[in-house]
Amino acid sequence: MLVYGIPSGLVEAVPFDPETGEILSPDTAAAPPANTPAKPMPSTPFGTWLLRQEKRDDWIGGLGKAAKADRSFPKAGDPEAVRHRLSEVGAEADMFEALDAAEIEWLCY
């Protein structure tokens, strides 16, 4: 598809204020509105939640089983702490994919 004679994949969206129609600078567009509350994180730490998933028959269950077998697994850790631990032990790519899926599910929990 062409947008003003330019392939649409090359056209960059320009952030603007929908109320005023004013084009925003990159600094203004990146900052969230001041009165927007931060989304709360799930109350159960990610590491603890992941350990509870060990009985599942999918990738997340496999990751939970591996986590339970690891004495240095960050039980109270966030997804980044678990990602770091997987890197330390040289985990395969599919474990990182399972971690990504688990993180999304945990955030919805």
Side-chain angles (χ1 to χ4, degrees):
M1 177 178 180
L2 294 177
V3 177
Y4 299 111
I6 302 171
S8 61
L10 299 177
V11 175
E12 186 176 320
V14 177
F16 69 97
D17 184 341
E19 292 178 13
T20 64
E22 185 177 330
I23 295 177
L24 302 174
S25 71
D27 295 333
T28 307
N35 59 353
T36 304
K39 183 179 180 209
M41 294 299 288
S43 59
T44 304
F46 179 72
T48 303
W49 178 87
L50 187 58
L51 289 169
R52 292 180 189 157
Q53 308 307 309
E54 69 168 321
K55 294 182 181 175
R56 292 172 55 157
D57 292 330
D58 60 1
W59 286 17
I60 296 173
L63 183 59
K65 288 177 190 121
K68 189 170 185 176
D70 181 3
R71 290 180 165 207
S72 297
F73 179 76
K75 295 178 179 107
D78 62 359
E80 288 307 312
V82 175
R83 196 168 277 109
H84 179 72
R85 180 64 185 154
L86 289 177
S87 294
E88 286 179 340
V89 297
E92 295 182 13
D94 60 343
M95 293 302 261
F96 288 95
E97 289 181 42
L99 176 59
D100 292 340
E103 180 178 3
I104 291 168
E105 194 170 314
W106 171 72
L107 287 170
C108 294
Y109 172 71

